[in-house]
Each structure stands twice: as C-alpha cells, then as structure tokens.
Amino acid sequence: MDTNRMARAFAPFETLAAQLIPHAADGDDGSHDVAHILRVFKSAMSIQAEEGGDARILAAAVLLHDCVSVEKNSPHRAQASRLAAEKASGILRELGWAGEDIAAVSHAITTHSFSANIPPETPEAKMLQDADRLDAIGMVGAARCFYIAGRLGSGLYDPFDPLATERPLDDKRFAIDHFETKLFKLADGFQTETGRRFAGERHERLKTVLAMFIDEI
C-alpha cells in the first residue's frame, strides 16, 4: 500500500506518519505490523484526548514502538523495546528532533513492553503502554494470541484437559493457556484511568471468547 495513503489514517499526524511508516514495522510478524500500529495509535489518541499529554511525542512513540522485531520465543525478547528505542532515537535525530523530545519518545518505547518490566514515568509512556496492551486483550487480542501460537508452532489447546485442571499451564504448547498465564492479568496493570476503563471492557470480551471456545470443544 502507498505510504501516503497509509499516513492519512494517522490524522492529524499524517506528515509525521509519512516520515516514520517506512521504519515502523520490522519483519513479517502479522501481530506487530502496520495494522497493529494503527490500532495502537487509535487507542492512544483516544486515551490522550481524555488524559492530556503531548500528542506529538505519543504519536511518534506509537509509530516506532515496534521498529525492531524480536520473536516472542527469542531469548532476547526482553531487549526488544530497548533496541527499538535506540533505533527510534537515531531516526528522529536524523529528522532534526530536539534532544529532549527524542528522550521522551525513547522512554515511552523502552517502557511500553510487558517483557521489559520497566515502569513508565511520563504521561506519554503510560499512554503508549496502555494502548499497546489494549491490543493484547479483547477480540483482537484473542486473534493475535491464536495467530502467534500458529506462528510459533503451538497447538490451540490440550484436547484432554483444555483448562489445565490436572496439568501445569503451558502457553508454549497450547494457545488458550496464554489467556490464564498472561492475557487475563493485563487488565490489572493499566496506567491511566481511561486505559483502565477501556481495559475492563476488553477483558470481559476476552472472557467471553474463551467461554465460547470451550463451549465449542
């Protein structure tokens, strides 16, 4: 798709998006592609509309938060957000951004990741983390969970004990185990009041997805 056409979806930051989209998605992971970035952008802007903060910093952080791709099963996964922040800093430096603005974007990217386990300290960092985690729960979150499981060669579920009542949870082997090991825990960790409200709605949808899935097997 044409970059300028994609950029228009990131209004009112079309110009910024046109500059950053070529750097935005690294690799062929369909759960961390431009569609994911656009969903995170929409959520981030919805949160920012209620919470305030610097929308330009937030938009740049959203656009570049996945500019370095590290697979979920890689031993280097916890370093992905730091590597993305370093790459993003270089890109923004070449575009002439001020040092303090680059630092703000870098911090937001570094702290957005669940794997990094670094607390966000600025409004923009908190909003990016919330927006990114919203994409991991709800209907889209469930779809991404199954997509990643297939990408990594996992099964959908244990046919003899799908809810792990008599075995340890193992989300490396079974996709729906990931609901309990991680996805159902995410709603408790949101940083902003607006993000928590959105997360509560999506958490209920995620519970519904699992209940309907279990009903059908």
Side-chain angles (χ1 to χ4, degrees), residues 138-151:
M139 296 296 294
V140 169
R144 292 176 76 213
C145 176
F146 292 128
Y147 169 88
I148 293 168
R151 183 179 175 87

Side-chain angles (χ1 to χ4, degrees), residues 169-189:
L169 289 164
D170 185 355
D171 61 357
K172 290 183 173 59
R173 292 182 64 200
F174 308 115
I176 67 167
D177 283 22
H178 196 59
F179 284 56
E180 288 290 347
T181 59
K182 180 179 178 181
L183 302 187
F184 284 151
K185 299 175 182 178
L186 291 178
D188 292 332

Side-chain angles (χ1 to χ4, degrees), residues 41 74-75 86 88 107 118 120 133 144 157 167 170-171 195 203:
F41 175 80
S74 169
E86 291 175 359
H107 172 71
I118 303 172
R133 292 189 181 185
R144 292 176 76 213
Y157 63 97
R167 63 172 176 85
D170 185 355
D171 61 357
H203 181 77

Side-chain angles (χ1 to χ4, degrees), residues 112-126:
H112 89 274
S113 171
F114 185 90
S115 303
N117 195 30
I118 303 172
E121 297 177 356
T122 64
E124 296 77 26
K126 292 176 181 179

Side-chain angles (χ1 to χ4, degrees), residues 35-54:
H36 162 71
I37 293 167
L38 181 57
R39 291 192 302 270
V40 174
F41 175 80
K42 291 177 178 178
S43 293
M45 292 299 107
S46 294
I47 295 171
Q48 188 272 335
E50 297 191 34
E51 299 286 335
D54 190 320

Side-chain angles (χ1 to χ4, degrees), residues 92-126:
L92 296 177
R93 196 173 297 114
E94 289 183 4
L95 291 173
W97 278 50
E100 61 183 14
D101 290 345
I102 293 173
V105 173
S106 177
H107 172 71
I109 293 173
T110 300
T111 60
H112 89 274
S113 171
F114 185 90
S115 303
N117 195 30
I118 303 172
E121 297 177 356
T122 64
E124 296 77 26
K126 292 176 181 179

